[in-house]
Amino acid sequence: MTMRIWNKVLSIELIIGMVISIGVGIIVENIPQLYWSRVCWITLAVLAIIFALQIWGKNNHTVKHVSQWLSNLTLILIFNFLIYTAVSTINLTNKSLVLVSSIVGLLLFLVVDIPVVVVNFPVVKNWFMRLFMVFLLYVNDIYNVNRFLRP
C-alpha cells in the first residue's frame, strides 16, 4: 500500500477514535467500575488536535513534523486505551457478549497500531528514540492484553 492510503487509514482511525471516545465518555459516567470518563474527554481533545494538525500540515512541513511526533508519542497509548475501555464497557453492560467482544478487542490490539507505525515511525531517525517507540508499543500491548473488565 502507498503512503497516501496509509495516511487515509490513519485519518479514518482518528475519526473512529473520536467517535468512540465520545460514546464511551458518555456511557462510562454511569458505570461505577469504570472511572475513565474524564480521560475519554482528554483523549477526544488530543485526537482532535492531531487530526487538525494532520489536515493543516499537508502544506506545511513543520506542522506535519510536529503532528508526526505528537502522534508517535500519544496515538499508540490512546488507541489501546480506547480499545480497552470500549471492550470493558461492552463487557460490563452486555454479559452475553463478553467472549466475542474480548476476542475482537484482542484482534484490534494487533491491527490498530499498524497505520501509526507505518505513517509516523519513519520520522524518528535517532536509534534510541526508535528503540523507545518500539518499547512503548510493546509495553502498552502487553499490559492491555487479557485485562478486559468482566461482570
Side-chain angles (χ1 to χ4, degrees):
M1 290 174 48
T2 64
M3 202 57 139
R4 184 179 218 168
I5 294 172
W6 283 113
N7 281 324
K8 287 183 182 182
V9 170
L10 184 61
S11 296
I12 290 169
E13 276 189 8
L14 286 171
I15 293 169
I16 291 170
M18 287 187 276
V19 170
I20 289 173
S21 63
I22 290 170
V24 170
I26 292 170
I27 293 170
V28 162
E29 291 179 4
N30 300 325
I31 301 173
Q33 291 99 333
L34 298 176
Y35 50 89
W36 302 302
S37 62
R38 288 190 181 147
V39 178
C40 287
W41 299 117
I42 293 169
T43 299
L44 174 65
V46 172
L47 289 175
I49 289 169
I50 291 172
F51 187 70
L53 285 175
Q54 280 189 345
I55 291 173
W56 188 34
K58 288 182 180 177
N59 298 327
N60 191 339
H61 181 68
T62 306
V63 174
K64 181 178 180 181
H65 200 68
V66 168
S67 169
Q68 287 176 331
W69 271 100
L70 184 62
S71 298
N72 279 341
L73 295 174
T74 60
L75 281 185
I76 292 170
L77 300 170
I78 287 174
F79 285 150
N80 288 348
F81 167 76
L82 286 175
I83 292 169
Y84 171 73
T85 310
V87 170
S88 295
T89 304
I90 291 170
N91 288 349
L92 290 172
T93 57
N94 195 346
K95 295 177 183 171
S96 62
L97 293 177
V98 170
L99 181 63
V100 174
S101 64
S102 296
I103 290 172
V104 169
L106 289 173
L107 292 175
L108 283 174
F109 275 139
L110 295 174
V111 175
V112 78
D113 293 332
I114 294 172
V116 177
V117 171
V118 170
V119 172
N120 295 324
F121 272 31
V123 77
V124 180
K125 302 293 183 205
N126 185 348
W127 68 270
F128 180 75
M129 287 305 293
R130 280 190 187 217
L131 184 64
F132 176 72
M133 295 296 174
V134 170
F135 176 74
L136 183 69
L137 177 67
Y138 174 74
V139 167
N140 195 31
D141 283 343
I142 295 301
Y143 176 75
N144 285 323
V145 170
N146 202 19
R147 290 190 39 103
F148 300 126
L149 293 180
R150 287 179 231 103

